[in-house]
Each structure stands twice: as C-alpha cells, then as structure tokens.
Amino acid sequence: MTDYVNDPTLPAPPFPGSHMVLDDCYVFVSGLTASDIQEGENAIGDIKEETRRVMRELERMLALVETSFADVLRVDIHLADLGDIGEMDSVYAEFFENDRYPARTCTESPRLSGGSGVEITLMATRPDRSR
C-alpha cells in the first residue's frame, strides 16, 4: 500500500506533490530547502547553516515514519553553487556513521526554491513492519 504524506509542520508543497511517499519497503522524501522550513529563511546565505537545518528537518521527518539516517540508501543534493560542496559536505557528513554513507548525486542548480543554496532529497528503507 502506498501513502502520500504531507508533514503538518511544513507549508503545503508549492508544487503538485507530497512531502513523503511511503510504501511497504521505502520512504521517498521530496527535495527540502531552508526556505521550506519555518524560520529556515534566517539561514539562507550560509551554506553550512542551511545544510544543518535541512538535515535536521529530514532527520525529524524520517523519525515520523520510524526510520533514520542509518536507513538512507540514496541522497540527491542540488547546490546553487557547486563551489560550496566542501562546506556542505563538512556538515552533511556529521549525520552519518563513518564509512556508511548512502549513494549520492550532487549537482549545481543555480535557481533553487526561495533563494536557498542547497536542496536535499532522499530515499530510505522502512523497518520490517510484518512483526
């Protein structure tokens, strides 16, 4: 069974989509930027703080569906300026155990929502719910 979930603590998506889509095995989380998070706009312009806020929000969203960063299989990151990858990586790496990083793509996308510098989307496994 597939569930389409909008997080009530976030503004409704400004596009025809859902914050999260859940099936029996996976959770798919739509791209998230600092401008999507309440008071996240305060971080825009500081790539480290934007990344930290987005990762914390993703962590909270995963916990809502009983998953965590340990369950993340794939991450897609879009940076407004690929030159910020080192600073973004320094924060991103803090959220994963050493040598247990998910598969990842990082691209430059110069026009991110709300003027943000980073957008992150992910896919994670869900716990075995048959028990």
Side-chain angles (χ1 to χ4, degrees):
M1 179 172 184
T2 304
D3 292 318
Y4 301 84
V5 179
N6 282 324
D7 186 325
T9 67
L10 294 175
F15 53 86
S18 302
H19 292 132
M20 295 186 284
V21 176
L22 315 168
D23 72 9
D24 291 336
C25 298
Y26 301 100
V27 57
F28 302 88
V29 182
S30 290
L32 192 65
T33 68
S35 68
D36 297 322
I37 303 167
Q38 185 178 21
E39 298 181 20
E41 309 86 27
N42 299 337
I44 292 176
D46 179 340
I47 197 67
K48 285 184 164 186
E49 188 58 26
E50 282 189 51
T51 303
R52 187 171 291 107
R53 287 188 188 210
V54 169
M55 293 297 285
R56 285 181 184 153
E57 189 68 15
L58 290 168
E59 185 173 46
R60 184 194 63 75
M61 292 171 75
L62 289 171
L64 289 174
V65 295
E66 301 175 351
T67 59
S68 70
F69 280 122
D71 303 306
V72 173
L73 301 174
R74 179 170 176 78
V75 176
D76 292 314
I77 299 173
H78 303 279
L79 291 170
D81 179 353
L82 203 51
D84 291 334
I85 195 168
E87 290 183 70
M88 182 277 302
D89 276 343
S90 70
V91 174
Y92 171 88
E94 295 171 9
F95 289 84
F96 298 97
E97 294 179 30
N98 289 341
D99 299 322
R100 291 191 44 93
Y101 300 109
R104 187 179 103 178
T105 298
C106 187
T107 62
E108 183 172 274
S109 302
R111 292 187 55 195
L112 297 176
S113 177
S116 295
V118 62
E119 180 173 9
I120 302 173
T121 186
L122 57 80
M123 178 184 132
T125 58
R126 295 187 73 194
D128 182 358
R129 300 176 331 160
S130 62
R131 293 181 231 153

